Amino acid sequence: MVHCQAKKGVSDLKKFFTSVPLQHSAAGLDTLLYQAVDNSALQMDAETSFPILTAVNGFARPGEDFRLIAVMPDAEATRRNREELSAQLTALCSCRGLSCPAGVETVSVESSQTVAAQTATFRKLLDYVDDDDELYCCMTFGTKPQSQALLLAVQYAYRVKRNASISCIVYGEVDRSGPKPWKKGTVYDMTALTRLDEVVHLLAQRGVADPRSALDAILSL
């Protein structure tokens, strides 16, 4: 059961991006208690199948509308998993008093892993980013090219849209060392990697003579 203690915070326009899992299982997706690393806001005291919901739980606020946008290739498994995502989102919102009026917004994409397909995914996602967005993203599910297209769209918004920010990038890991059903997971805050990429771009644009030394100095702060 989800803990129903509301968290305080300021009002922001928040958008949560994820990919619908491709995993196929007759028993459905595993639900896990994810332990948060590097960001206590991601700690949930309830099990979930979707690491993006740890970000929703940690950062969405009662009384504020937010949006959850899910990239989804059309397949039997993804259709079923999308319904499970919707059910878990609804349960979390009901318990926490959160408002996601549109529910899970689906971005239909091709199953192909070609560059053309990922470019099309990127272009579709641009319709979902705006000025003043506070962006959250889960890089756990989807193929590697699809996950890259999703991250590129979030970085585009940060670089191009006015006052847009990347607040948290999450990645969920499952401990599969023991017998099934696996019940232990870890959710990592990977936002610093995105910021590192921004620093590298900035150093390159400024033509820093010794970018490695500059980068080492920044990382040591």
Side-chain angles (χ1 to χ4, degrees), residues 20 68-72 82 104-108 128:
V20 177
L68 193 153
I69 297 104
V71 171
M72 190 184 92
R82 190 248 183 229
V104 178
E105 301 176 58
T106 302
V107 182
S108 298
Y128 291 85

Side-chain angles (χ1 to χ4, degrees), residues 16 73 113 115 139 182:
F16 298 81
Q113 303 310 310
V115 171
M139 55 187 294
W182 299 305

Side-chain angles (χ1 to χ4, degrees), residues 145-218:
Q146 185 185 98
S147 180
Q148 182 67 18
L150 184 56
L151 286 172
L152 285 172
V154 170
Q155 288 178 295
Y156 163 88
Y158 172 72
R159 291 169 177 161
V160 175
K161 297 297 183 178
R162 181 177 58 84
N163 295 330
S165 62
I166 299 175
S167 294
C168 195
I169 307 292
V170 303
Y171 174 72
E173 179 184 45
V174 178
D175 182 358
R176 295 183 170 88
S177 60
K180 290 184 177 182
W182 299 305
K183 302 302 288 183
K184 182 181 177 182
T186 306
V187 61
Y188 299 91
D189 183 343
M190 307 298 289
T191 317
L193 286 181
T194 303
R195 292 170 182 160
L196 178 59
D197 180 59
E198 296 298 328
V199 170
V200 170
H201 276 275
L202 183 61
L203 293 175
Q205 289 172 0
R206 294 188 174 180
V208 175
D210 188 358
R212 181 166 180 171
S213 295
L215 188 58
D216 288 343
I218 293 170

Side-chain angles (χ1 to χ4, degrees), residues 123-143:
R123 290 173 64 89
K124 285 187 176 183
L125 287 168
L126 298 189
D127 292 335
Y128 291 85
V129 295
D130 299 286
D131 293 342
D132 304 310
D133 279 349
E134 186 175 328
L135 303 165
Y136 302 81
C137 183
C138 179
M139 55 187 294
T140 307
F141 299 123
T143 64

Side-chain angles (χ1 to χ4, degrees), residues 5-70:
Q5 181 178 358
K7 300 181 181 181
K8 297 179 182 179
V10 298
S11 177
D12 293 296
L13 178 59
K14 299 180 174 72
K15 293 179 181 176
F16 298 81
F17 290 85
T18 189
S19 295
V20 177
L22 298 165
Q23 285 88 335
H24 174 78
S25 171
L29 295 170
D30 292 324
T31 56
L32 306 168
L33 183 62
Y34 282 94
Q35 297 299 316
V37 173
D38 296 330
N39 190 340
S40 61
L42 297 175
Q43 187 63 55
M44 283 181 67
D45 61 359
E47 295 181 347
T48 182
S49 305
F50 306 94
I52 191 63
L53 294 185
T54 68
V56 172
N57 180 71
F59 293 98
R61 302 289 181 251
E64 299 175 5
D65 289 348
F66 69 91
R67 296 172 68 183
L68 193 153
I69 297 104

